[in-house]
Structure formats: structure tokens, C-alpha cells
Amino acid sequence: MKVFKILHIANRGERYAGNRYYSYPYKMNNGFVRNGHCVYWFSDRDIARSLSVIPSRKLGTSRCNKKILEVCENFRPDIVVFGHSDVLRNETIEEIKKKHKSSIVQYNFDLLHDKNIKKLKERNGYVDFNFITTGGKFLGELAGKGSRYAYMPNPVDMSIDCHANYKNNNLDIDVFFAGQTSDMVGVADLRTQIASLPGEMPDISFGMYNGVWGHRYLELLGRAKMGLSISVGLKDPGVDGCRQYLYSSDRIGQYLGNGLLTFVEKKFRLADVYGPDCLVEVENYSDLKEKIRFFAKKDRLRIKMAEISHHLAHEQFNERLVAKYLIETTIDSKFSHSYRWPTQVWG
């Protein structure tokens, strides 16, 4: 593939002092660099704060957009890739396209709730390609004004997801889950119900954490046999769940990539991409408890499935392939790899 100059606009999280180093912007940036591209990472939120008289992203937004235009003048990017940037303004995108003829690409790892959909549609007509961690026909409803949409999976990164827990015989956590509370979660959601698991299953060792970050998060993850990749569901998921088809938070990459046997909700239909041998799909809370008990007693089967999924994640969902897929799709190039995930373009 041709080498491109890529301006990557995404939050590096300098204010967090390194405790988000395993987040998706780091993996995407690694993928672009490891594929041989010349990448300039512009941490929009950090720079907006630094350009404000007081540390305020909102107050620094105008100056930050001027800085982005200055970077484009000096760097002359072939492709501008941005992720979850509320700082980057549409008029700035318009000026970049007009002056430098850059392709504009957005990636979005959030569930397609109403607020996220509104943000995506506001970019239509400015962004050439949107890559979303939700797949299927609903992307066709989002597309418009020349902006196209496609699915992308959560990437795994060999330098970050470095555990192989299935090889470890001294794991002291049977079941792991880490996630912050969310006002989107309903009382009946499985995401809410799993908080009751430790009390109802005292013979199982649970590691349930709210707001754990950085090295501590990866250290705890590296001690677990199984992980609950339970995402927030939508109150209105659309016909046949189309608004959450194939969606998962980035937990799925972290759990599979570190060798945990991973549990997911069946309604997201992730087995369509990863296959039934790599995931444990559950229907509801009682089904989850039953399958946790089953695999807690079936160590050989648990290890076998975790090993299969670990190899699959690193071989077929790594940061280099995901980054390559984004670029090949954007420039309308023939695919250099037979990607495991849906590659249909909508719009």
C-alpha cells in the first residue's frame, strides 16, 4: 500500500497521566504507524485546554481549530482521521478539504444512542467515511450528503494486550468485570444485574470493579480466567436489534486479546463475527449464572476456548489489520486481506 501522511486527531488523555494508555486511540495510532504511514497525532482536547487562559476545553476550542489548520498547512495530510472529537469544527474540516484535498475519516466506538446518532449526522456532508463499531443496515439510515458508513471491530494490540491468561495456572479471579456506572443502564439490564453475582455465587471468585484504570486495570485483568463483556443496551434497539448489531465496548478486544474466556449478550450477535467457538453467548441473567458455573468446573474447555479466541483476536482483529482496513476502504483500494468482519459500505 502507498504510504500516506495521516493527521490523527484524537484524545491522548494527557490530563490522566497515562492511565488510559490501552484505549482505542492508542491502538489506532499504533496501527497506522506500524503499517508504515507517517502519522502526526494531534490530541485535540489536551491542546484546546492548553490554549485556554484557564484549563478549559470549551474556551480553547477556537484557538485549537486554528492550530489544526496551522498543522495542516505544515504537515499537508493526505488523510485526516479523527475519533470522538467534539473540538474539531465542521467549518475547519471544510477548509482542510478545500485547501489540501485531504480525505476526512471519522471512527466512533460508542453505542448508537440518540445523542451519538445526532453527532454523527451533524458530520454528514463533511466527513467522507465514518467507521462505527455497530454494523448492519442501520448504517444505511445514518449515511447521507455524500458521507459513507462502514463497520469496524474493536482492535487488539500486541504491545498492550500482552497477557495470555489461558496459559496461566495460577489465576485467582474466576470472573472479571470493570466498568463505570452509566445513566443509560436500566434496572432490568444485564449490566445492572451482574452486580448481584458475587452475593449469589459465593463459591466463585469475582473481581468486580468500578473506575479502575491504568496499570492496575491491566494487572487485575491479567489475573482472571473469565471476563464479562456486558455492554449497555438500548431501550429502543430498532427492528431486530439493528441499532446495536455487532456492538461491543472495547472490553471485547481487551478480554479476548488477553486470553480470558469472554461472555457476551446474545442480542448483540457478536458470534456472527467472532464465531461461536470464541465467545460464550448468554440470553439473560439466569443463563449467565448457569454458564459461569458450568465453565468454572470445566477448566480444560475454558482454556481451549480462551486459547482459540486469543489467537483469533491477535491474528484477525489486530491494530494493523483494523487500521489497514480503514485506509483501504477510504481510498477504495482492493483489500489486501480477507477481513473477518462485514465490509459493506453504506451510502
Side-chain angles (χ1 to χ4, degrees):
M1 181 193 290
K2 178 184 174 183
V3 172
F4 293 103
K5 287 197 288 184
I6 298 173
L7 172 58
H8 182 204
I9 302 175
N11 183 29
R12 194 162 48 227
E14 298 294 351
R15 66 186 298 199
Y16 300 119
N19 76 355
R20 304 291 180 27
Y21 73 92
Y22 47 80
S23 63
Y24 53 83
Y26 282 86
K27 294 182 178 183
M28 294 305 302
N29 205 76
N30 286 346
F32 294 135
V33 171
R34 289 167 184 163
N35 285 338
H37 300 298
C38 177
V39 184
Y40 187 97
W41 189 347
F42 187 97
S43 185
D44 56 326
R45 299 184 191 184
D46 295 314
I47 292 173
R49 289 188 189 94
S50 72
L51 293 173
S52 174
V53 177
I54 59 174
S56 167
R57 178 174 61 177
K58 185 176 181 180
L59 293 178
T61 292
S62 292
R63 289 182 177 179
C64 186
N65 276 266
K66 289 179 182 178
K67 181 66 72 173
I68 290 171
L69 292 174
E70 185 181 346
V71 168
C72 287
E73 184 64 33
N74 293 327
F75 185 58
R76 302 295 175 94
D78 301 302
I79 303 172
V80 176
V81 179
F82 70 94
H84 296 264
S85 176
D86 294 331
V87 173
L88 178 64
R89 291 171 171 167
N90 283 342
E91 52 264 36
T92 302
I93 294 174
E94 196 169 34
E95 189 168 344
I96 294 169
K97 292 179 74 172
K98 182 180 179 180
K99 191 169 185 179
H100 303 294
K101 312 299 181 185
S102 307
S103 296
I104 309 295
V105 176
Q106 175 178 207
Y107 61 79
N108 188 294
F109 282 73
D110 281 348
L111 185 65
L112 292 177
H113 50 78
D114 292 343
K115 185 178 179 181
N116 194 25
I117 289 171
K118 182 176 182 291
K119 285 184 178 182
L120 289 167
K121 287 189 173 182
E122 286 173 349
R123 296 293 195 185
N124 283 355
Y126 299 93
V127 173
D128 298 311
F129 252 103
N130 295 276
F131 293 91
I132 316 292
T133 52
T134 299
K137 61 185 179 181
F138 189 71
L139 298 186
E141 297 182 32
L142 294 178
K145 299 181 181 179
S147 293
R148 293 174 289 177
Y149 285 73
Y151 171 75
M152 68 175 291
N154 285 278
V156 173
D157 189 314
M158 61 181 178
S159 64
I160 297 172
D161 303 306
C162 55
H163 296 299
N165 289 12
Y166 66 89
K167 294 181 179 180
N168 190 344
N169 295 320
N170 298 307
L171 302 172
D172 61 333
I173 299 173
D174 292 321
V175 181
F176 178 88
F177 176 80
Q180 290 182 292
T181 55
S182 169
D183 56 10
M184 291 178 58
V185 182
V187 175
D189 278 14
L190 185 57
R191 176 74 178 268
T192 300
Q193 294 172 323
I194 60 175
S196 302
L197 286 171
E200 295 184 15
M201 306 177 73
D203 54 322
I204 304 291
S205 170
F206 285 91
M208 309 286 279
Y209 304 95
N210 181 24
V212 59
W213 306 99
H215 174 75
R216 177 63 173 160
Y217 171 72
L218 268 296
E219 187 269 331
L220 289 167
L221 189 69
R223 291 163 46 190
K225 297 177 181 178
M226 300 177 277
L228 306 180
S229 185
I230 306 299
S231 299
V232 176
L234 289 168
K235 292 179 181 178
D236 177 20
V239 179
D240 297 325
C242 66
R243 284 177 62 187
Q244 58 190 27
Y245 176 58
L246 299 183
Y247 174 76
S248 172
S249 70
D250 53 357
R251 285 185 199 87
I252 193 163
Q254 294 163 4
Y255 292 2
L256 296 178
N258 284 287
L260 285 73
L261 178 63
T262 302
F263 292 72
V264 298
E265 281 191 86
K266 191 172 185 179
K267 67 182 182 182
F268 293 97
R269 295 171 58 187
L270 289 159
D272 288 1
V273 168
Y274 295 95
D277 295 335
C278 289
L279 302 169
V280 180
E281 292 186 300
V282 300
E283 297 272 5
N284 49 42
Y285 184 61
S286 61
D287 188 33
L288 173 62
K289 289 199 297 181
E290 183 179 331
K291 286 176 178 173
I292 287 174
R293 288 198 182 281
F294 175 82
F295 282 101
K297 297 175 181 177
K298 299 288 184 180
D299 230 27
R300 285 188 180 180
L301 180 58
R302 187 263 306 172
I303 291 170
K304 181 180 179 181
M305 288 184 66
E307 181 178 10
I308 291 171
S309 62
H310 182 267
H311 288 318
L312 177 75
H314 282 274
E315 290 173 4
Q316 299 296 331
F317 295 88
N318 64 63
E319 81 291 350
R320 287 154 289 132
L321 285 179
V322 174
K324 182 178 289 188
Y325 162 70
L326 261 66
I327 300 303
E328 288 179 344
T329 303
T330 298
I331 66 174
D332 196 23
S333 171
K334 183 179 179 181
F335 287 146
S336 61
H337 183 82
S338 181
Y339 298 110
R340 287 267 310 201
W341 53 85
T343 58
Q344 182 174 354
V345 172
W346 301 87

